[in-house]
Amino acid sequence: MFRTLPLAAPLLALLLVLPQTRPAAAASAYAGEFLALGGGARAMALGNAYVAVVDDATAGYWNAAALADFEGRQLHLSHAELYSGLVQHDYVAFARQGKRFDGLGISLVRVGVEDIKFTELENPAGGIGPDNRPLVASTETSSDYALYLSAGHRLSAKLAVGASLKTIYRTVGPFSAYGAGLDLGLRYLVAHGLTLAAALRDVTTTPIVWDNSTDSIRPSALVGLAITRPVGAGAATIGFASRAGGDATDEAGDEPLNAGIEYRYKTLALRAGFQESRQTLGLGITSHERLELDLAYLQHEELESTYRFSAGFRF
């Protein structure tokens, strides 16, 4: 067991350094942004500072290494409407204990936009003007899907690793694209109640192949830590996370920093956080030992606020 402990430092360094290498020239800064919307209401309420906190079926998305500690089985369902319902974000995940691997998971993400108006000029051969205005030619739907197959395995009492193989399918009206990529995860227990974690996404630069062109998703990394301590009759958890690589920047041009805090007392959890300087709030209720319900709110100054609902079923 003790021979595996020294692996933690070089593995963490690898996750931090790889995103700094330059990806293929065809890679786009925005090709994978639909995959950066998060998963689960608890994560959103904590400002998406979740890479080191995650302990539920959403681990396949956030950090597959967390599946190594998963017990039993859980089905997770989540729905969010962004920007006054303009964007629909749905997420479903299932996780269970494994045999060959300590934990296994499968997740499906869908991001959809309805009623996209495609226009064309009344006279395509002429230039745009008062007598040749654009007309709505058709109304289309855009849908992005990502399927994750995940596994986590414990290398020692302190160190766990994981991987998620993902396939991508995108459609915009009559156009479609396919892609496949790999995410890696690491989780290291520094001490009781203190966890370091990292997730490297799209490690080989994920190709997105359209009908007549190819785009790519650049590698990026999520790094973070989680601290859990008893407070009064309950327990408090504080999480921090930052996303690097993949041209990830906040409004000031800096690498975004997310933070969140949760206080859990019996069946009730209160949450708050900051996601790239935007405030988040949330509430969690364990209405039954097998049922968890979560609600999250994300503030946005320029666009309408976002609400996300989640339900987790353990069996």
Side-chain angles (χ1 to χ4, degrees), residues 118-137:
F118 280 51
T119 63
E120 62 182 25
L121 291 176
E122 185 175 3
N123 178 13
I128 187 171
D131 299 324
N132 193 23
R133 295 287 189 182
L135 301 176
V136 176

Side-chain angles (χ1 to χ4, degrees), residues 23-281:
S28 166
Y30 305 104
E33 282 306 295
F34 82 97
L35 295 176
L37 293 177
R42 184 187 180 204
M44 175 184 280
L46 292 174
N48 278 346
Y50 208 52
V51 63
V53 177
V54 58
D55 58 2
D56 54 25
T58 65
Y61 170 85
W62 285 107
N63 185 355
L67 290 170
D69 296 320
F70 199 84
E71 297 181 355
R73 296 176 294 179
Q74 185 188 45
L75 175 65
H76 179 97
L77 305 172
S78 179
H79 175 74
E81 297 190 0
L82 291 72
Y83 319 132
S84 297
L86 181 64
V87 179
Q88 306 290 319
H89 184 203
D90 297 297
Y91 178 82
V92 57
F94 174 77
R96 58 164 296 171
Q97 287 177 291
K99 295 181 179 179
R100 185 173 181 179
F101 297 99
D102 293 319
L104 299 171
I106 182 170
S107 312
L108 178 64
V109 177
R110 179 189 180 273
V111 178
V113 180
E114 308 287 340
D115 300 328
I116 302 174
K117 293 180 173 58
F118 280 51
T119 63
E120 62 182 25
L121 291 176
E122 185 175 3
N123 178 13
I128 187 171
D131 299 324
N132 193 23
R133 295 287 189 182
L135 301 176
V136 176
S138 63
T139 302
E140 307 291 351
T141 297
S142 169
S143 296
D144 298 319
Y145 297 88
L147 177 67
Y148 293 74
L149 301 177
S150 311
H153 190 66
R154 178 159 295 287
L155 298 181
S156 73
K158 291 182 176 292
L159 177 64
V161 295
S164 291
L165 177 65
K166 62 188 178 187
T167 58
I168 296 170
Y169 175 65
R170 310 188 71 178
T171 64
V172 180
F175 307 102
S176 61
Y178 300 86
L182 177 67
D183 298 348
L184 300 178
L186 177 147
R187 186 167 179 154
Y188 186 72
L189 180 63
V190 179
H192 180 69
L194 177 60
T195 302
L196 292 176
L200 180 59
R201 294 176 169 176
D202 306 291
V203 293
T204 59
T205 302
T206 299
I208 305 294
V209 182
W210 291 89
D211 298 330
N212 298 310
S213 64
T214 300
D215 204 350
S216 299
I217 303 176
R218 295 176 173 178
S220 62
L222 282 174
V223 294
L225 64 85
I227 304 169
T228 300
R229 291 287 187 270
V231 176
T237 298
I238 301 175
F240 298 94
S242 181
R243 181 182 171 202
D247 285 353
T249 58
D250 60 15
E251 295 177 356
D254 301 321
E255 292 178 350
L257 177 64
N258 299 344
I261 184 170
E262 172 186 82
Y263 182 74
R264 186 178 292 272
Y265 174 72
K266 294 184 178 180
T267 62
L268 181 66
L270 301 177
R271 304 173 181 124
F274 287 94
Q275 179 180 333
E276 301 176 22
S277 76
R278 296 191 292 271
Q279 184 179 2
T280 61
L281 297 170

